[in-house]
Amino acid sequence: METTELLQGKRVLIVDDEQDILDTLTELLSICMIDRASTFEEAKELLEKYSYDIVVLDIMGVRGFELLKIAK
């Protein structure tokens, strides 16, 4: 199975406090349904509201370890 088939239509949350990282990952994962957050609070709200297939977390900038606990 190709990577594009595996990712097609997956819901992904990308969390990073750096805009260029958000933009780059959004472009790379453009075949997915992307939600983005640049703060802990935004990400927490999205995690509590939606279910995600994949979550990409910035560990340092947005308290990623805390968000990981919420995502579990």
Side-chain angles (χ1 to χ4, degrees):
M1 183 177 284
E2 289 189 40
T3 303
T4 49
E5 291 176 21
L6 289 172
L7 291 175
Q8 186 76 40
K10 298 293 187 213
R11 186 166 195 140
V12 178
L13 173 61
I14 302 170
V15 184
D16 202 296
D17 59 338
E18 295 187 37
Q19 187 65 42
D20 60 330
I21 301 295
L22 288 173
D23 293 341
T24 300
L25 290 174
T26 298
E27 186 177 323
L28 288 171
L29 297 170
S30 63
I31 62 173
C32 302
M33 299 181 321
I34 303 287
D35 288 332
R36 300 162 36 135
S38 59
T39 67
F40 173 85
E41 291 77 17
E42 290 174 328
K44 182 178 183 290
E45 184 177 316
L46 288 168
L47 285 168
E48 291 172 342
K49 188 173 183 180
Y50 300 107
S51 178
Y52 292 95
D53 298 299
I54 303 166
V55 178
V56 180
L57 296 172
D58 174 5
I59 297 300
M60 300 299 288
V62 291
R63 299 174 16 213
F65 283 118
E66 289 180 56
L67 290 171
L68 181 59
K69 289 177 187 175
I70 293 167
K72 289 171 68 178

